[in-house]
């Protein structure tokens, strides 16, 4: 059995206007995204060839664009959109997306709210 390799982006920050409350939609807030891309990096490593792996700089820009893009009510929906975009890269077999909403409108003290999803081609 061959295990897949992982390329991770941690702490991508962007301002978005997601949430169910009018204040969230109007004022926006910072979202932080962690993405782990699962793929076989051996072809790229063997040839030292960027075209045979995933370009994490491009993925980072795509993730930020989604967060800054069209508002959604749920963090779950935001995570799903990010996962779908990551899987458009042909070499990515699976992706884990963690969306952090550290300024969520919660009335008690807290550190963070996260939604974590895993999606694959299969």
């Amino acid at each position: 059995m061959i295990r897949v390799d992982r390329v991770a982006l941690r702490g991508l920050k962007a301002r978005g206007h997601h949430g169910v409350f009018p204040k969230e939609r109007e004022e926006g807030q910072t979202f932080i995204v962690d993405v782990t891309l699962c793929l076989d990096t051996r072809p790229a490593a063997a040839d030292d060839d960027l075209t045979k792996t995933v370009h994490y700089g491009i993925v980072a820009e795509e993730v930020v664009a989604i967060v800054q893009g069209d508002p959604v009510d749920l963090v779950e929906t935001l995570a799903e959109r990010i996962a779908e975009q990551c899987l458009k890269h042909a070499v990515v077999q699976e992706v884990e997306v963690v969306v952090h909403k550290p300024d969520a409108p919660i009335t008690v003290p807290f550190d963070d709210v996260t939604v974590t999803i895993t999606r694959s081609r299969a």
Side-chain angles (χ1 to χ4, degrees), residues 74-111:
L74 302 178
V75 177
E76 292 86 344
T77 306
L78 183 61
E80 189 70 34
R81 287 182 177 180
I82 293 167
E84 289 171 359
Q85 180 60 43
C86 291
L87 288 171
K88 288 181 181 179
H89 294 270
V91 296
V92 176
Q93 300 167 17
E94 183 176 276
V95 62
E96 179 184 85
V97 177
V98 182
V99 177
H100 301 256
K101 190 174 178 180
D103 299 321
I106 297 176
T107 60
V108 297
F110 73 102
D111 289 331

Side-chain angles (χ1 to χ4, degrees), residues 17-30:
H17 293 265
H18 312 289
V20 295
F21 298 113
K23 185 177 179 180
E24 293 179 290
R25 291 293 183 104
E26 293 165 12
E27 296 179 11
Q29 60 192 292
T30 299

Side-chain angles (χ1 to χ4, degrees), residues 31-59:
F31 291 84
I32 302 166
V33 180
D34 304 324
V35 176
T36 303
L37 307 163
C38 300
L39 63 145
D40 185 353
T41 62
R42 291 175 298 176
D47 295 336
D48 199 27
D49 186 350
L50 177 60
T51 66
K52 294 182 179 180
T53 188
V54 64
H55 191 308
Y56 53 79
I58 291 172
V59 172

